Amino acid sequence: MIGPWGGSWYSVMINFGLHILLYFIIFAIACFFAARNYRRRRNPERRPLAHSEDKAVLGSEEVVDEGCCQELATFASDPVPFLVDTAQADDDTVQHLAGLEARLYLDFTWSMTVFFSVIALLGVAVLVPMNLLTTKKAWYPLDSFVITTSNGFASPTSALLFHTMVAVFLAGSLCAIVYFLRTRVIANAKGEYAEGAIPPVQAYTVEIQGLRLNPPARGDEIRSMFDSCPNTQGMVLDVSVSLDVTDLVDLVENHRILHKKLARYRQQAENDGSRPQMQVGFFSFMYMGKWVDAIETLEEDLKKTEEEMKALQKKKGRMGTGTAFVVFKDRKSAIAAVSAFKNAQKAQSEYSQPSIGKTMQLCRSAQSWIIAMACKPEDVFWRNLRYGRIHHFMLSLTWTLILFVALSSIVTPIFLLQLFLAIGDKTIENMENLENSAISKSSGSYESYFSMTSTQSGFNRVILFFANILWPFLVLLVNVILMPYMVHASVKFFGHRQVSAMRRSSFNLIFFFMVSNLLLVPALSLSGLDELFDVIFSTPIDQLFAQILLYGSSTSFFVEYVAQATFLSAAFYFLFHTTTPALLNWASDGHEKELSWEFDFAFFYSSMISVLAIGIMFAVTVPLILPFIAGFLVLRYYTDKWQLLTAHSKFRVDPSPEVTTSAALFAVVLISGISLLAFGCWLRLQGAEVLSYAPLAGFVIIVFILLIPTLRDNLIVVNPRWEPHEVEDIEQPESLGVPAPQAYVGAYENPYLTDSPAATERLWSAGTVGGFAEY
């Protein structure tokens, strides 16, 4: 079929449409089975199709026997009843059932959904027709997917003016949305504290690092230090010196595991009416061992573990971690303490405290001394308090390099993609001939690249059809399964002192590798592996970003990735939560601790923002992608809301969810800036140098906002600590004088050394048992 521009681009779009239809059919099948399983749990009288002849249901006078046609008719009238049940839940209900982190996540998702839905209308109604109707250059391939893009316009300065306006508007609007989201995060995470209200305990507490280790610093020494300053004299309410509990945390973790196993086997015995058996021994994980009574064995192991825990909790002569938490009687005194003793050498010259560097002196060294507002008590990573800044930096750097090497050599999709890059190899083989052609002499290698893509119509259509499906599918598998698991396994050893900081590192690393695997590697590898390395190592940075947009918009790879992430991911979770035996009773009758699945916010934030990164980067050059981005967000919002309200266990919550949310907001602004840089470089490549100044200026402004701490902290991120320079203190200075309640005494005692149910519950709920957060 010959199109109106002289090419057979209709065949390319039909091929692309068949892919989308295939994804949708898979999604529809998953919806059918998920809805059927859901209805049968809600109405047990509905029998499976394979057993429709068995109509006897105890305690039922009337049996509903649905045939295949009836099942399909029911599905057509109500295809996703499980999503409908949770769609109308408001923010307060979400926070009550799934926690504050769920509320912040869904608020972020809904804001992006509304925005990209509006942008999608603009892209489909204006940008796509403009790209199809605008005059192209002579070398432009008219028989490929690239006809829908804005590459190769004959008159770039005038034809790309509207595209430039859309790019700047898109990035500016996202930055504005991030600011308003930040204000809502502050309101939800820190609340509104009017006159007379009592702020949380961390608002009155300072954390000190760099104290003496052996013997550990005493509470009276720390009180004496603050009494030496007139502004803090007599204002200390409580002092908690943290001791090293490395030998205890493994026992606590083992105790938790044994407790969960015992509860599960007791439930099994109650359901089955018989004593369950289990295998023990070195090879029991391979089902090779001695069979014993599960309940009796676990009770004995649990008793031994509890005895060992009590013995270690009473152990004398523990070393210190160099960390102490000091609670003051009011916020004003806490802020004064940070100001007075922030510089150890200056404080020693003014108040003769803290004593530095000598035997039995309070401070080990001026370099290791840190005093700042404390995090939440639930956010303290007790095992890692022994690590200082240098230890944390070295551990993080080492494990990040190990992770980078592993992902680069084993997992990174470029090595998988090359299995399907015969087209890219063909491009490399024919590049020399193309560069000698008349076309390439006129404008350079980009014409050569597009000329080669336009000559690939003779390639095996069947192989192309399946390769174009498998290519983004392999990247999706890597980003969804392999890479997040490796990141979570590595980040545990980074030496973070807060649980929320570890979750933020998980998000940062997953997001970085996901975007690299999704934008940088696939976009550039469209030209072949040899050219990929040549572009990365020998191309100036501006041309590198320009080629990401140019190569990335030459095929339907990114549109297909978004379509697969939309339909296939949702299909997986629909079936997983309605058929997995461990989650059959996902409603749990209100007992959320019985649920076993946990919503990994670091991964779900990263996977969503990586798709948003595709939309932000290619919204102008490939506007056809915008409806798929909007559809992805709509389906993601309602699917994740359903998961959070029905299947997510909030047994271990994030103590400071605003930290991960702030990292997500920062990532959106960063991607917006990078997209402006790439688009500005792309405009120069297209010959529209004058227009390129607008997006490049926007990039510079965003970089300044991200790099200047004052702007970043007041416009993008939320600090979980109650720092004295925050805007809230300026607007509500009366909260500085509110006295701390006596109940705050002991809030920062190490729960590992406290033998009480409350301390155990505090450890379990924070997800830090054993020193490692649970995912």
Side-chain angles (χ1 to χ4, degrees):
M1 181 181 296
I2 303 300
W5 299 276
S8 58
W9 71 278
Y10 282 142
S11 62
V12 177
M13 298 307 295
I14 290 174
N15 190 57
F16 167 69
L18 290 176
H19 290 173
I20 304 302
L21 180 61
L22 175 63
Y23 307 147
F24 181 79
I25 290 175
I26 296 174
F27 171 74
I29 293 174
C31 287
F32 171 77
F33 285 103
R36 191 177 66 167
N37 293 334
Y38 171 83
R39 292 189 181 97
R40 286 174 181 169
R41 277 204 311 275
R42 292 300 178 92
N43 184 4
E45 295 179 357
R46 296 176 181 269
R47 309 302 297 165
L49 294 177
H51 303 282
S52 59
E53 69 278 0
D54 181 13
K55 301 182 180 181
V57 179
L58 296 178
S60 173
E61 297 180 356
E62 182 180 355
V63 177
V64 178
D65 181 19
E66 290 195 346
C68 182
C69 295
Q70 289 176 307
E71 290 267 15
L72 291 175
T74 304
F75 170 71
S77 61
D78 191 8
V80 283
F82 42 91
L83 295 189
V84 175
D85 276 0
T86 57
Q88 301 301 321
D90 58 14
D91 292 341
D92 294 333
T93 303
V94 170
Q95 183 169 345
H96 173 70
L97 295 177
L100 176 60
E101 51 193 342
R103 178 173 187 162
L104 298 180
Y105 172 81
L106 291 177
D107 189 20
F108 175 88
T109 308
W110 180 250
S111 299
M112 294 299 158
T113 301
V114 174
F115 175 71
F116 274 92
S117 298
V118 175
I119 294 297
L121 293 176
L122 175 64
V124 173
V126 180
L127 290 179
V128 172
M130 287 182 65
N131 294 344
L132 293 174
L133 298 174
T134 303
T135 304
K136 313 299 189 303
K137 293 182 179 179
W139 51 264
Y140 197 88
L142 301 177
D143 56 350
S144 68
F145 176 84
V146 81
I147 192 68
T148 64
T149 72
S150 53
N151 288 307
F153 280 14
S155 303
T157 303
S158 57
L160 293 176
L161 175 60
F162 186 76
H163 294 73
T164 304
M165 295 171 60
V166 172
V168 175
F169 171 77
L170 176 65
S173 299
L174 283 172
C175 292
I177 292 174
V178 164
Y179 175 77
F180 288 114
L181 282 173
R182 176 189 176 273
T183 59
R184 291 208 291 267
V185 171
I186 292 176
N188 289 312
K190 294 190 175 182
E192 301 293 339
Y193 291 93
E195 184 176 359
I198 301 177
V201 61
Q202 65 269 20
Y204 297 90
T205 308
V206 299
E207 177 184 354
I208 307 175
Q209 302 178 34
L211 296 172
R212 187 176 67 243
L213 297 177
N214 192 21
R218 302 188 309 273
D220 59 310
E221 293 179 284
I222 298 175
R223 287 179 181 270
S224 299
M225 180 186 72
F226 288 112
D227 286 341
S228 65
C229 176
N231 294 330
T232 58
Q233 186 175 14
M235 298 303 296
V236 175
L237 179 64
D238 182 52
V239 178
S240 297
V241 179
S242 298
L243 302 179
D244 187 10
V245 291
T246 306
D247 57 345
L248 185 58
V249 290
D250 293 330
L251 275 176
V252 176
E253 167 67 3
N254 188 42
H255 177 269
R256 182 186 71 86
I257 294 175
L258 292 173
H259 192 276
K260 290 182 65 176
K261 286 183 177 180
L262 181 59
R264 187 172 68 248
Y265 280 117
R266 283 174 174 170
Q267 184 65 42
Q268 181 180 340
E270 182 180 347
N271 295 339
D272 299 341
S274 60
R275 303 279 289 186
Q277 301 288 309
M278 64 179 293
Q279 284 185 315
V280 296
F282 185 77
F283 294 103
S284 59
F285 66 94
M286 299 176 62
Y287 299 98
M288 299 169 57
K290 180 181 178 182
W291 287 96
V292 297
D293 183 279
I295 296 178
E296 181 179 344
T297 302
L298 289 174
E299 287 177 343
E300 292 177 359
D301 292 344
L302 196 60
K303 183 178 179 181
K304 292 179 182 178
T305 304
E306 290 175 349
E307 292 175 354
E308 294 179 12
M309 286 172 53
K310 291 180 181 179
L312 284 177
Q313 286 173 346
K314 297 177 182 179
K315 178 182 176 180
K316 303 297 183 181
R318 287 186 177 274
M319 288 186 60
T321 60
T323 302
F325 297 93
V326 183
V327 183
F328 287 86
K329 295 181 179 179
D330 57 35
R331 291 193 62 204
K332 186 177 181 180
S333 300
I335 294 173
V338 173
S339 177
F341 294 94
K342 189 172 185 179
N343 188 314
Q345 293 178 332
K346 181 180 179 181
Q348 188 182 39
S349 64
E350 293 184 9
Y351 312 115
S352 301
Q353 290 285 353
S355 50
I356 303 175
K358 299 180 181 179
T359 304
M360 294 298 293
Q361 300 303 307
L362 189 61
C363 176
R364 296 200 308 271
S365 67
Q367 291 74 27
S368 63
W369 178 265
I370 298 176
I371 180 169
M373 299 301 296
C375 62
K376 300 175 183 178
E378 303 84 3
D379 203 10
V380 177
F381 210 164
W382 297 100
R383 180 175 190 169
N384 287 349
L385 291 182
R386 54 186 174 149
Y387 296 127
R389 287 179 298 181
I390 297 178
H391 299 90
H392 167 58
F393 174 77
M394 294 304 298
L395 287 171
S396 301
L397 179 62
T398 301
W399 280 99
T400 300
L401 290 176
I402 293 174
L403 189 63
F404 180 80
V405 172
L407 288 171
S408 299
S409 60
I410 301 173
V411 179
T412 301
I414 180 62
F415 298 96
L416 300 175
L417 297 180
Q418 291 306 312
L419 298 175
F420 304 98
L421 275 185
I423 302 174
D425 295 335
K426 186 175 180 181
T427 303
I428 296 171
E429 294 172 0
N430 292 272
M431 185 60 68
E432 182 177 356
N433 296 331
L434 285 169
E435 288 178 351
N436 294 328
S437 66
I439 294 178
S440 74
K441 290 179 181 179
S442 62
S443 302
S445 62
Y446 303 106
E447 294 84 338
S448 303
Y449 174 77
F450 282 117
S451 296
M452 194 63 246
T453 60
S454 65
T455 62
Q456 293 165 3
S457 58
F459 200 77
N460 191 306
R461 292 290 182 180
V462 177
I463 295 178
L464 279 176
F465 183 86
F466 289 103
N468 289 335
I469 294 177
L470 289 174
W471 189 348
F473 184 70
L474 286 173
V475 181
L476 184 65
L477 286 181
V478 170
N479 286 343
V480 169
I481 299 177
L482 296 176
M483 183 268 295
Y485 176 80
M486 295 178 67
V487 169
H488 284 317
S490 303
V491 79
K492 298 176 180 179
F493 305 100
F494 278 27
H496 286 292
R497 296 169 61 92
Q498 291 86 37
V499 178
S500 58
M502 186 174 66
R503 294 176 183 250
R504 178 182 57 197
S505 290
S506 296
F507 165 79
N508 290 337
L509 286 174
I510 293 174
F511 173 72
F512 170 76
F513 287 113
M514 195 173 285
V515 170
S516 298
N517 290 343
L518 187 56
L519 284 181
L520 181 65
V521 175
L524 295 178
S525 66
L526 291 171
S527 59
L529 184 59
D530 294 347
E531 179 135 341
L532 169 66
F533 290 136
D534 179 67
V535 165
I536 291 178
F537 296 112
S538 63
T539 304
I541 188 66
D542 58 338
Q543 293 186 26
L544 179 66
F545 282 106
Q547 291 187 14
I548 289 177
L549 284 186
L550 185 77
Y551 292 160
S553 58
S554 63
T555 70
S556 60
F557 170 84
F558 289 103
V559 183
E560 299 222 24
Y561 180 91
V562 175
Q564 290 187 8
T566 302
F567 295 120
L568 302 187
S569 297
F572 168 77
Y573 288 112
F574 288 172
L575 294 177
F576 177 72
H577 289 302
T578 56
T579 61
T580 304
L583 298 174
L584 278 180
N585 187 20
W586 45 259
S588 189
D589 296 327
H591 305 292
E592 67 276 357
K593 293 183 180 180
E594 296 180 11
L595 297 171
S596 59
W597 183 78
E598 294 184 36
F599 191 92
D600 184 1
F601 286 93
F603 164 73
F604 279 96
Y605 266 121
S606 301
S607 62
M608 177 173 56
I609 298 179
S610 64
V611 173
L612 291 182
I614 295 176
I616 297 170
M617 288 287 290
F618 295 99
V620 179
T621 55
V622 192
L624 193 64
I625 204 172
L626 289 172
F628 294 95
I629 298 290
F632 166 84
L633 289 170
V634 171
L635 191 57
R636 170 59 70 89
Y637 174 78
Y638 289 106
T639 301
D640 290 350
K641 190 174 187 178
W642 166 64
Q643 294 184 95
L644 286 166
L645 293 178
T646 58
H648 170 57
S649 172
K650 64 173 184 176
F651 183 58
R652 287 177 290 267
V653 299
D654 189 346
S656 301
E658 63 271 23
V659 174
T660 304
T661 304
S662 294
L665 297 179
F666 183 92
V668 171
V669 176
L670 178 62
I671 289 295
S672 300
I674 294 176
S675 68
L676 287 178
L677 173 62
F679 186 73
C681 298
W682 176 87
L683 284 174
R684 289 175 175 269
L685 184 68
Q686 299 295 317
E689 185 172 352
V690 176
L691 292 179
S692 67
Y693 293 127
L696 293 178
F699 165 74
V700 172
I701 294 174
I702 289 178
V703 168
F704 272 112
I705 294 175
L706 295 177
L707 294 181
I708 299 176
T710 303
L711 294 177
R712 181 180 66 245
D713 294 343
N714 287 281
L715 297 177
I716 301 175
V717 302
V718 177
N719 191 345
R721 302 173 187 260
W722 287 65
E723 299 290 351
H725 62 269
E726 288 188 334
V727 177
E728 292 87 345
D729 295 333
I730 299 175
E731 295 177 348
Q732 301 170 352
E734 60 274 5
S735 67
L736 297 176
V738 177
Q742 194 67 24
Y744 286 172
V745 175
Y748 285 87
E749 288 184 1
N750 194 325
Y752 285 103
L753 299 175
T754 305
D755 184 15
S756 67
T760 303
E761 177 69 18
R762 179 174 157 193
L763 281 173
W764 287 16
S765 63
T768 58
V769 179
F772 300 139
E774 298 282 340
Y775 291 95

